[in-house]
Amino acid sequence: MPYVFDFDHAHRRPPMDMKDLLGGKGANLAEMTSVLRLPVPPGFTISTDACRAYMAGGWPGRLDTEVARARARLERSMGKVVGDPADPLLVSVRSGAKFSMPGMMDTVLNLGLNDRSVAGLAAQTSDERFAYDSYRRFVAMYGRIVLDLPGEEFEALFEAAKEKAGTDSDAMVPTELLVGLVDAYKVLVERETGRPFPQDPDAQLRGAIEAVFRSWNGARARAYREREHIAHDLGTAVNVQAMVFGNRDERSGTGVGFTRDPATGAKGAYGDFLVNAQGEDVVAGIRNTDPLSALETRFPDVYRQLIAIFDRLERHYRDMCDTEFTIEQGKLWMLQTRVGKRTGRAALRMAVEMTKERAIRLSRAEAVGRITEDHLESVLHPQFAPGGDRRVLTTGLGASPGAAVGRAYFSADDAAAAASRGEAVILVRSETSPDDVHGMLAAQGILTARGGLVSHAAVVARGWGKPAVVGAESLRLADRSVSVGGVTVAEGDWLSIDGTDGTVVLGQVPLRPAEPSEEFLTILSWADAIRRGHLGVRANADTGADAANARRLGAEGIGLCRTEHMFLAEDRLPIVRRMILADTPEEEKAALEELRVAQRADFVEILEAMDGLPVTVRLLDPPLHEFLPSTHELAIKEATVGLDEEERRLYDAARSWQEANPMLGIRGVRLGVLKPGLYGMQVSALIEAATHRVLEGGRPVIEVMIPLTVSGPELALARGWVEEAMRAELEATGRPHRRSIEVSIGTMIETPRAALRAADLAEYAEFFSFGTNDLTQMTFGFSRDDVEGRMMSTYLEEGLLARNPFDVVDAEGVGELVRIGVERVRPDLKIGVCGEHGGDPESIALFYSAGLDYVSCSPFRVPVARLAAAQAVLAAAAPPGRAARPAARRAATRRPPVKKAAAKEAAKARGRQAAPKKALKKAAKAAPKTTARTRATAKRARRP
Ligand code: ADP
Ligand code: MG
Ligand code: MG
């Protein structure tokens, strides 16, 4: 396969399907050229294959010939030759990886100019000033980007020239000074590199291409890929393209346009442009831009043409696009397009609206597929709380929604350092560049004095869902302070920013949690329809308030209710201690009785909040010493002031329950074995609470979960206590309620042995819940508290782990144990997951493909889990090769009819034009209706 492809190369597949090879920019340029036939300056793309070959073994031998041939074709089609002293062709060299990536090499413009061809350009255009302006830009760009020279030195020389000319406008610097500037730049290059500025266009071109290849492995690019989980071995493509000139004259210009508003999602073209300017001038935020609407008055024909192109782009890509364009002496050229980045609010609005637009006809599945975790998170972001008097310092452009409060820091390094000390930070900069990325990452919010809505700061912040205000022009930045209207904000002072409307406030404004839009609810309801019957979403909640919140956010039950907080409450702790200290069975019983009464009230609240939905209550899990005072403190007290009798007993108990490795010690069911009355008490309290709820007309659905079991007999024993307590409790409260309380008994799978011996455990269980936090610790032998702080970052940096396995479930180890556990049990056993992974989209996809019935996560992650669950269902329904196939268990026994319907829906999601909405409803309907209740009650009926 060749390394080089012209933009109009006849590929076998649509160029957009070839982003792997052509990179995103190259694929889009080819698509615009050969499919859409838009006015694109011709050029060619050097593939990612070439970059990978370069990384593996240096400059590939045949690349020179291929580039030379492609260049010759370009020269023929343009009727000009690169470097021609009479009439030179100039080109740009543009990097472009599969995924858009800040931190990679910038673009080199005007390549091909040298001391001779600059005169040709001047003669051809009858514009000497233009020629030398282009040349000085080229030498500076090439010096900075390809030769790695500090950009400020070129800047300083330019500023000096402006001063000499007595102007602060780039466009007013006269030709003689530009000529002198080029000479000064060349002297700078020779002094710094020890070699003259390359005059040979071949050398220039090869240098620029190689610089793009090298930039793939630059520190900034690597850091970005790590954050975004982009593979390091993809490589980048390089695009070489004939130059067009927006800096030609007043009938020329350059701009950036969006087919809709990327901040709000509102329909209608949106963007910025600059008259008589080139390339980066718009994005860099150096000059203040005009809104796209001003183009209509200035260049009405071009404006109409551009709007028509926007329309075609939207129809073609079926999405909002962003574009870069240049006008050269009244002629419009398209330089780039891609499906544009957007805020969460805009993403939701566009996705919903596009299902109703004839030109786009998005299906609901596609709409759901377009929303990301970050989008949801950003609309769930806090806002300024209403009311209160606040001192608005200034206003800029709301570039990325959400409000943030932090202390002002003025460099990325200072911001990162402050954040690592635990401070909340607002990074304040004149403008940002890829060098600031680490500081932006560490900040709660970003504030810049310059730049528009497409400036670096704005684009990066939006991508991360981080609040940002840009272009707050009244800010006067000094080294470590900023002043505005007589007020000075020093380093460390509090600032609050609102990235939605652009206000900047002095001090700390109280924040209010976000209020999701109507489209947010719509998308989630569509997601629910897709996943219903396939993958449930529950929440981990320990109190009535948490349970109510979880339900409000769409949880379909509680997957994990930890009972330990009920023990730790201030009024309970003395009772718990009494139980631990008990000398006689009677004393222990009395303490347990007291606890039972207290627990009952907690359970009532939770069951009420989740009425009609399953509530999984985990019996006590942590080791007992957690309820006792620290032996260390008591030892000190004993040695100094001495202990009273109560303290002496506690000290003895604490010492006797002290463990060398409590994580692997007496906890979970093991505790139940040593303190048999404990679990019985908890179950009594639960059943009593349930009975109370039934009498009040509620419908409690209870799942009693035994933690940390590793063998059948262990679970059988624990099950016996639970059943015994249930029987006793129901007899005491009267039989009539028995039927209306739905109770099932199950266990957590938290150790490798439990996963491997799942079949033994399943004998005594109606449900399993994978506790992937412990399972991860035990599978790796990592003590989370110990390794996460000290070791994890090193392991990730060194590539010893691809991901933190506590964030994303380890597919190969822990994931394999989950699969094994699922495969070894009967298909009707209900299985969920209740570790923190239950809220992580990638892990959710794995759990679905392993055949789990539901995931459970913290309440505020529930919306993300609902979305991710739907996306997992859609991905699994795509034909093989597109996504992981669902586990055999599901294929064989669970949801075959659903698979088909969902497969259809997913197939449609990939590129058809119209979608009957019926399919979605069908997919939802086809879901099997077996509920936990029917399985559990059937099970109970079989038991004596
Ligand atoms: P980025 O990925 O950083 O946007 P680009 O390759 O798109 O980098 O180029 C940066 C700027 O240079 C853009 O504004 C683009 O429009 C301009 N540019 C790139 N190639 C050309 C060209 N052939 N003629 C004129 N301007 C160009
Ligand atoms: Mg750039
Ligand atoms: Mg670009």
Side-chain angles (χ1 to χ4, degrees), residues 632-654:
H632 182 68
E633 277 163 26
L634 288 173
I636 294 175
K637 197 165 182 202
E638 184 187 37
T640 52
V641 288
L643 301 176
D644 62 25
E645 200 211 332
E646 163 86 4
E647 285 168 333
R648 157 117 352 254
R649 292 183 66 206
L650 281 171
Y651 187 31
D652 289 343

Side-chain angles (χ1 to χ4, degrees), residues 11 13-31 45-49 52 96-100 234-238 317 337-340:
H11 292 283
R13 288 183 289 147
M16 283 313 293
D17 287 356
M18 306 181 68
K19 280 165 122 180
D20 281 336
L21 187 71
L22 302 174
K25 198 177 287 168
N28 279 303
L29 284 166
E31 189 89 0
T45 300
I46 300 163
S47 73
T48 56
D49 278 347
R52 283 189 294 265
K98 178 176 182 184
F99 304 102
S100 149
L234 294 175
T236 178
V238 187
Y317 288 94
T337 194
R338 65 185 161 197
V339 168

Side-chain angles (χ1 to χ4, degrees), residues 778-858:
M778 307 244 191
T779 301
F780 280 89
F782 283 167
S783 152
R784 178 173 192 170
D785 291 343
D786 297 319
V787 304
E788 259 201 319
R790 290 227 195 131
M791 190 197 84
M792 196 58 73
S793 59
T794 311
Y795 262 57
L796 293 172
E797 271 158 33
E798 307 250 330
L800 298 175
L801 284 172
R803 313 290 281 274
N804 178 342
F806 294 106
D807 292 342
V808 179
V809 73
D810 156 51
E812 291 154 2
V814 177
E816 187 64 14
L817 283 168
V818 172
R819 283 177 205 281
I820 288 172
V822 172
E823 272 161 23
R824 294 187 177 176
V825 299
R826 59 181 192 278
D828 68 326
L829 188 84
K830 180 163 54 166
I831 310 180
V833 59
C834 61
E836 273 162 71
H837 301 106
D840 166 62
E842 220 177 300
S843 309
I844 290 171
L846 180 141
F847 295 137
Y848 178 64
S849 86
L852 265 50
D853 299 281
Y854 70 87
V855 297
S856 188
C857 57
S858 66

Side-chain angles (χ1 to χ4, degrees), residues 25 41-42 90-96 100-101 105-110 141 239-246 254-256 278-283 324-326 335-336 338:
K25 198 177 287 168
L90 305 190
V91 297
S92 63
V93 176
R94 318 172 65 185
S95 64
S100 149
M101 244 176 67
M105 192 200 86
D106 294 318
T107 296
V108 178
L109 301 177
N110 307 334
M141 271 192 182
N239 302 288
V240 178
Q241 184 175 32
M243 282 300 300
V244 289
F245 298 99
T254 185
V256 173
Q278 188 173 51
E280 303 276 85
D281 296 356
V282 181
V283 206
E324 290 172 6
F325 62 90
T326 282
L335 289 171
Q336 188 176 326
R338 65 185 161 197

Side-chain angles (χ1 to χ4, degrees), residues 344-345 348 375-386 401-403 500 511-521 524 552-553 863:
R345 179 170 153 225
L348 289 161
H375 289 148
L376 290 191
E377 287 290 2
S378 78
V379 301
L380 291 164
H381 262 290
Q383 310 289 331
F384 284 165
T500 313
L511 298 183
R512 173 195 75 185
E515 251 164 59
S517 64
E518 196 182 313
E519 287 95 355
F520 173 89
L521 300 174
L524 284 179
R552 199 175 50 77
L553 289 167

